Amino acid sequence: QVQLVESGGGLVQAGGSLRLSCAASGRTLSPYSMGWFRQAPGKEREFVALITPSGNSTYYANSVKGRFTISRDIAKNTVYLQMNSLKPEDAAVYYCAAGQRAVVTSTRYTYWGQGTQVTVSS
């Protein structure tokens, strides 16, 4: 059993930055690939970024590539999403997830956090 808790969301102006954190308890995250997903009102949950267990490989959705950075701190059992140059279309509830494989499909992830709200004003 892995419990994930996201934090760091809030209100930011377009062009600003936020750093989201996903803290785990109950078990180490070291065996898992980690993903960030987001869901805006009226839309399906979409892939944002992923990172492999070692942290050596990352992958991003085209919509955030070059602006967002995913990272992990194994010692702190935490994964991060640094979001720069935020746009109004980035507004959503952001979720972190842990899974056995580094894939972009949300249904392949086993453990999920409750989400943190990101609001971007224009």
Side-chain angles (χ1 to χ4, degrees):
Q1 180 72 21
V2 176
Q3 294 85 41
L4 303 174
V5 179
E6 302 95 336
S7 62
L11 174 64
V12 65
Q13 291 186 330
S17 298
L18 285 173
R19 189 180 75 158
L20 306 183
S21 298
C22 176
S25 63
R27 188 171 296 175
T28 178
L29 290 179
S30 59
Y32 298 99
S33 293
M34 298 296 299
W36 283 97
F37 296 80
R38 66 188 183 187
Q39 188 166 22
K43 296 185 177 180
E44 294 185 356
R45 188 168 299 186
E46 67 173 349
F47 167 77
V48 176
L50 65 81
I51 188 167
T52 55
S54 68
N56 289 337
S57 296
T58 59
Y59 184 73
Y60 300 91
N62 288 336
S63 59
V64 307
K65 191 176 182 65
R67 300 187 297 120
F68 291 10
T69 303
I70 187 172
S71 62
R72 66 194 302 166
D73 187 328
I74 297 175
K76 294 182 178 180
N77 216 23
T78 301
V79 63
Y80 304 96
L81 184 68
Q82 178 66 47
M83 306 186 295
N84 298 328
S85 301
L86 282 162
K87 304 175 180 179
E89 52 263 44
D90 294 319
V93 176
Y94 282 71
Y95 301 89
C96 67
Q100 299 287 344
R101 294 179 180 269
V103 294
V104 303
T105 306
S106 62
T107 55
R108 299 301 303 274
Y109 288 80
T110 303
Y111 303 104
W112 290 84
Q114 291 298 114
T116 186
Q117 177 72 53
V118 172
T119 303
V120 184
S121 64
S122 59

